[in-house]
Amino acid sequence: MRKTTIDIPIYCCKLTIVLDKDLSYVEKKYKTKSLSDFGAVTLRDEDRHYVVGFTDATHLSNIAHEIVHLKNQIYVDCAMELDRYNDEPEAYLTGWLFDQINNFLNKTGK
């Protein structure tokens, strides 16, 4: 199991990224329901602390999928609305999250 916690600038929050063969660490640490059938998960641990866990570092589609959940939760917690006509903040956050998660998974997942 590998993990790291990083600050998410501007949004004043933290993100913990976990790579675990079966997400048992996430399940025990954050007292979730059974994650035995999950390949990835996103959750909010406490105010402005988010956790994203993966069982496989090679599926980019899993990263994209979890980023949607993560980005939306950050927007909800910051009382921000998605704007289809001015989506630059959303696009920037999505790209930044992807880089952080992908870099972590590539360093520890191969």
Side-chain angles (χ1 to χ4, degrees):
M1 189 279 305
R2 306 279 253 159
K3 70 176 182 129
T4 190
T5 300
I6 59 173
D7 289 322
I8 302 176
I10 303 172
Y11 297 95
C12 301
C13 54
K14 294 189 180 295
L15 171 64
T16 297
I17 308 165
V18 178
L19 178 62
D20 191 0
K21 64 180 172 26
D22 59 8
L23 296 177
S24 61
Y25 170 82
V26 173
E27 188 176 320
K28 289 174 189 164
K29 169 83 174 161
Y30 301 104
K31 298 175 178 65
T32 69
K33 66 180 183 178
S34 173
L35 300 175
S36 62
D37 294 333
F38 286 55
V41 65
T42 297
L43 58 97
R44 181 177 179 259
D45 177 37
E46 55 191 44
D47 189 36
R48 302 211 187 228
H49 177 225
Y50 309 96
V51 178
V52 61
F54 298 91
T55 60
D56 187 334
T58 62
H59 295 291
L60 297 179
S61 61
N62 283 351
I63 297 173
H65 178 102
E66 296 307 319
I67 285 173
V68 171
H69 298 310
L70 181 57
K71 174 206 38 102
N72 287 341
Q73 187 62 58
I74 291 168
Y75 268 50
V76 166
D77 288 347
C78 292
M80 296 173 61
E81 292 189 27
L82 300 177
D83 185 343
R84 295 182 314 163
Y85 299 102
N86 179 20
D87 59 0
E88 195 62 32
E90 179 185 7
Y92 179 83
L93 178 59
T94 299
W96 188 89
L97 289 168
F98 181 86
D99 286 345
Q100 301 305 306
I101 293 169
N102 188 50
N103 289 342
F104 171 78
L105 294 178
N106 281 326
K107 286 180 186 172
T108 61
K110 293 188 177 187

